[in-house]
Amino acid sequence: GAGVSQTPSNKVTEKGKYVELRCDPISGHTALYWYRQSLGQGPEFLIYFQGTGAADDSGLPNDRFFAVRPEGSVSTLKIQRTERGDSAVYLCASSLLSVGRGRGDEQFFGPGTRLTVL
Amino acid sequence: TQLLEQSPQFLSIQEGENLTVYCNSSSVFSSLQWYRQEPGEGPVLLVTVVTGGEVKKLKRLTFQFGDARKDSSLHITAAQTGDTGLYLCAGAKGGSEKLVFGKGTKLTVNP
């Protein structure tokens, strides 16, 4: 399929461990977004990339969270020293955004990675 | 503090009934989007509204953006079991591409 793909679909880890979550956006989409969705909540913005650079990382909760997009396509969200409170579904979205219009361009979401920290 | 308040949080109705879901805020948004999410999947965009007072129709779904661009509603006519899902509203503020989501309305349409 040509949609956004995320791997792994499920990740179980122990408190204090390091995890990496991967996102493959739709081919040609220049913008990539990471959100986190806790049970019973709507998605919460983490970070947004335009090309290779992080255009807005204001949603990252603390310095344990870091994301990269080195070649402007695939992105990896990295979480260090995981805590039980990090358990959530991590959603990635991409959009065909060539010029920022400040209107939240149409974003296509992947199925998410369910992270469980024991 | 939730920037976007959705109501009701849960809604269970019979097939054929009509319903309205609300999304309210004290903030002004440059656009507001409605998504539908099913278990184990990411949200899927239904509509984007950008002009105050705008009304958009998508088959049995009618979306309205408030005149002041602070609130929106989603009305479903003659609900079907296939409409079951989590309906999320999300707003974008001027100059920003990030979306602020509400908590969602979980709709169950019973046969």
Side-chain angles (χ1 to χ4, degrees), chain A residues 34-58:
Chain A
W34 283 99
Y35 294 85
R36 177 169 70 173
Q37 187 172 24
S38 300
L39 195 63
Q41 304 290 320
E44 174 192 8
F45 171 80
L46 296 176
I47 186 170
Y48 145 60
F49 287 90
Q50 174 66 310
T52 61
D56 184 345
D57 64 357
S58 61

Side-chain angles (χ1 to χ4, degrees), chain A residues 33 35 37 40-45 48 56 58-59 89 91 97 99-112 114, chain B residues 2 9 30-33 35 37 40-45 48 50 86 88 92-104:
Chain A
Y33 312 78
Y35 294 85
Q37 187 172 24
Q41 304 290 320
E44 174 192 8
F45 171 80
Y48 145 60
D56 184 345
S58 61
V89 175
L91 293 165
L97 181 65
V99 176
R101 298 180 299 161
R103 286 185 171 180
D105 205 42
E106 180 178 1
Q107 299 179 22
F108 295 84
F109 283 81
R114 181 176 296 278
Chain B
Q2 194 73 22
Q9 198 171 345
S30 56
S31 74
L32 206 139
Q33 302 180 358
Y35 288 82
Q37 185 177 25
E41 299 180 8
V44 175
L45 181 67
T48 301
V50 298
L86 179 68
L88 294 157
K93 298 182 77 67
S96 173
E97 299 303 324
K98 72 182 185 187
L99 292 175
V100 175
F101 281 83
K103 285 187 177 182

Side-chain angles (χ1 to χ4, degrees), chain B residues 38-106:
Chain B
E38 300 200 38
E41 299 180 8
V44 175
L45 181 67
L46 297 173
V47 78
T48 301
V49 285
V50 298
T51 306
E54 183 176 3
V55 177
K56 280 193 174 179
K57 292 196 173 186
L58 186 66
K59 296 183 181 178
R60 295 175 294 102
L61 278 60
T62 302
F63 304 85
Q64 185 161 7
F65 201 11
D67 291 342
R69 289 186 289 133
K70 293 182 179 181
D71 53 80
S72 180
S73 64
L74 158 59
H75 182 80
I76 301 179
T77 303
Q80 300 176 357
T81 55
D83 295 328
T84 293
L86 179 68
Y87 289 83
L88 294 157
C89 68
K93 298 182 77 67
S96 173
E97 299 303 324
K98 72 182 185 187
L99 292 175
V100 175
F101 281 83
K103 285 187 177 182
T105 293
K106 188 170 182 182

